[in-house]
Each structure stands twice: as C-alpha cells, then as structure tokens.
Amino acid sequence: MGTRRWVAAAAAVMVALLLLSAASHGGRRGPSFNSNNRTFVFNYTLAKTIVEYASAVYMTDLTALYTWTCSRCNDLTKGFEIRCIIVDIQNCLQAFIGVDHNLNAVIVAIRGTQENSVQNWIKDLVWKQVDLNYPNMPDAKVHTGFYSAYNNTLLRPAITNAVRKARRLYGDISVIVTGHSMGGAMASFCALDLAISLGSDSVHLMTFGQPRIGNAAFASYFEQYVPSAIRVTHEHDIVPHLPPYFFFLPHLTYHHFPREVFPCINLESV
Ligand SMILES: *[C@@H]1O[C@H](CO)[C@@H](O)[C@H](O)[C@H]1NC(C)=O
Ligand SMILES: *[C@@H]1O[C@H](CO)[C@@H](O)[C@H](O)[C@H]1NC(C)=O
Ligand SMILES: *[C@@H]1O[C@H](CO)[C@@H](O)[C@H](O)[C@H]1NC(C)=O
C-alpha cells in the first residue's frame, strides 16, 4: 500500500541521515531525546517512532485511534495515551494529540487532506495566493493555503488547547510535532506557533516529504524558533517540489463521521 511505501522510504532515508549524523558527530552515539536537556538528535528508534505517529494519523477508524488499537498503533507507539482527535470534515483535515510516556513528550500528528475532490481547492489556494506576510516577522512570506489550513481552521485552537492541557497535567514536557506531505507543512506552522508560545527548547518538529512553505526570510526565522526541526525527504518523493501531492493516499469518505470535531478525552475529570 502507498502509505506503507512512504513509511519504508522514510525509514530508509533516516538510516542514511543517521549515518551522516553519526559521521558528523565523530561517531558519537547518544540518546536522541533527552527531556532534561531537551536536545533532539537523530536516533533510529526515535525517528521510526515518529514515522509511526505520522502514519497513524491517516487511519480513518477513529474508534481504533481513540483506543490506540489501530493497525499502526501497535509497534513502537504502544502505550500511547491519546488525548484528543481533531477531525475537520469541511477542510478534510485530521490530527491527534497525546502523550508518549516512553519519550516523555506530547505528540502532535497532523494529516493533510486526502479527498481528491478537494485537491483543486487546495491547488487554487496554494498557487493563487502564495505570499502571505507572516505576522511579526518582517519580510517573511508563506504559502497562504498551507498557513490557512493550520491557522484558519479548527486545528490551531484545538491543538494549542490540547497541548496546554497535557502539559498542565504532566509538567512542561517537550512537544514533538509531525506530519507527512501537506500535513508536514501544517505541522511546521504548528511547531512555530507552539515554539513562540512555549519556548523553542520545548518544541521539536519532524516532517516527511513536506513541501516548501515560505521564503528565505521565513526559513531563517523558522530556524531560529524551531532549531531542532528535521525534514525527511527522499528523491522519489515529489512533494517538496510540487505541492500538493495526493495520489498515493488511500481513498476514503467522510460520510460516516457524525460530528465535525470529536470531543477530546478529558482525563482531568478522571
Ligand atoms: C533512542 O532514543 C530512544 C528514545 O529517546 C531511547 O529510548 C533509546 O535508548 C535511544 N537509543 C539509543 C541507541 O541511543
Ligand atoms: C545538552 O547536552 C549536550 C550534550 O550532552 C550539550 O552539548 C549541550 O550543551 C546541552 N544543552 C543544554 C542547553 O544544556
Ligand atoms: C490567524 O488566526 C488568527 C486567530 O484566529 C486571526 O486573527 C488571523 O487573522 C489569522 N491570520 C491570517 C493571516 O489569516
């Protein structure tokens, strides 16, 4: 299946990156993710775990996601505490927020649209209105379509709220944001948003095959705020060059979803 292929491809690229990273660090190998020190360095297990989250957010069986029993919820992400699933039917977006107790981190996974019928809508949005001035960053311009898909939908308030609640419950643990393709573009805006409000040390980003989202000025601001961002791409993936990109995605329909937003699981009341 297509999604399995990109997971495999991403894993292959990560092996290459790991080798590079090991070489550039003089072969030093260390834990990738240190919550006290909060550095975010490659380690194959960590990267593979994050791929599994980025992949799981494509699952359409929401009950299986809620109970974390989906077919992609079984491996390295076992024991994940899902706290909130966001489904924006109107814009065909999906995301979840939860806590990975092994990593001691809040995970935010975002999925782009999958509907073919929406493809043109997105394409228009992306190609016709590319240059939005990013707030409070002089000269920084971003793709309106991707930015709006994050900023002007349910995603931004719902994610921000769920992350804050999780951190209130578990202490100020780190946040890892991930996504694939268009979901990766939105994950980037999300990470920037969270880094500005929670601090750069607390927010990490890993995306897979994400398209470019802004100009050089934006990229330089972005690097400042989200220094630990990692973008995994591979040469056969056209996403980084040609947004948007949907053909590998499994077809699905949204008719069965009863509500626009699924209620967040509220653990505070337990
Ligand atoms: C990789 O990172 C994970 C998660 O932080 C950690 O549990 C594991 O020990 C690390 N592995 C190595 C070889 O450093
Ligand atoms: C985090 O740990 C690394 C390696 O152990 C060290 O080089 C770095 O200075 C530490 N950063 C902080 C902010 O303590
Ligand atoms: C982003 O969202 C905020 C809050 O909803 C809104 O005030 C602002 O206009 C949005 N920015 C853009 C460029 O659409």
Side-chain angles (χ1 to χ4, degrees):
M1 203 169 95
T3 306
R4 201 168 294 154
R5 224 178 309 132
W6 76 254
V7 170
V13 170
M14 281 180 306
V15 173
L17 284 174
L18 275 170
L19 293 173
L20 277 175
S21 136
S24 67
H25 289 88
R28 188 189 53 166
R29 91 191 158 83
S32 52
F33 191 83
N34 178 335
S35 327
N36 299 321
N37 173 307
R38 294 185 171 177
T39 45
F40 190 63
V41 180
F42 254 115
N43 146 333
Y44 183 78
T45 311
L46 171 65
K48 193 157 177 282
T49 308
I50 297 174
V51 171
E52 289 185 7
Y53 286 120
S55 169
V57 76
Y58 282 83
M59 301 302 294
T60 54
D61 181 345
L62 297 183
T63 307
L65 266 187
Y66 256 130
T67 49
W68 206 251
T69 52
C70 75
S71 56
R72 295 174 196 169
C73 303
N74 230 338
D75 187 22
L76 295 168
T77 64
K78 215 177 226 167
F80 181 61
E81 178 194 335
I82 191 113
R83 295 188 53 82
C84 177
I85 298 178
I86 303 155
V87 178
D88 183 326
I89 298 180
Q90 197 185 343
N91 300 298
C92 298
L93 306 171
Q94 186 166 310
F96 65 71
I97 296 93
V99 177
D100 183 321
H101 292 287
N102 297 323
L103 296 175
N104 196 29
V106 178
I107 306 290
V108 179
I110 304 177
R111 190 197 75 190
T113 181
Q114 310 194 11
E115 280 276 336
N116 284 337
S117 59
V118 184
Q119 190 168 341
N120 291 334
W121 178 78
I122 298 285
K123 202 184 283 173
D124 285 352
L125 215 52
V126 171
W127 291 114
K128 284 182 187 162
Q129 314 170 35
V130 269
D131 287 336
L132 176 99
N133 292 316
Y134 197 84
N136 306 320
M137 295 186 184
D139 304 323
K141 290 182 183 299
V142 295
H143 280 277
T144 303
F146 294 141
Y147 180 68
S148 303
Y150 169 69
N151 187 70
N152 301 356
T153 63
L154 295 168
L155 290 183
R156 187 184 192 184
I159 290 173
T160 308
N161 190 31
V163 167
R164 281 184 192 285
K165 277 188 176 161
R167 291 180 100 229
R168 211 176 297 142
L169 195 62
Y170 289 109
D172 288 339
I173 56 178
S174 292
V175 182
I176 301 175
V177 188
T178 189
H180 168 245
S181 184
M182 179 191 173
M186 289 183 287
S188 298
F189 288 121
C190 176
L192 178 59
D193 204 19
L194 293 173
I196 289 170
S197 61
L198 307 176
S200 296
D201 286 352
S202 302
V203 180
H204 311 285
L205 171 72
M206 186 182 282
T207 64
F208 303 94
Q210 80 158 85
R212 209 169 298 158
I213 56 171
N215 66 0
F218 177 77
S220 120
Y221 285 115
F222 193 92
E223 204 179 314
Q224 228 172 288
Y225 282 102
V226 194
S228 59
I230 294 165
R231 289 184 193 81
V232 178
T233 59
H234 63 91
E235 56 189 290
H236 302 300
D237 192 338
I238 66 165
V239 173
H241 312 295
L242 186 68
Y245 173 57
F246 301 100
F247 65 81
F248 60 92
L249 298 170
H251 181 73
L252 86 156
T253 56
Y254 285 83
H255 310 140
H256 306 301
F257 294 171
R259 275 168 297 184
E260 191 160 332
V261 192
F262 273 69
C264 293
I265 298 169
N266 187 348
L267 290 182
E268 278 101 315
S269 61
V270 173

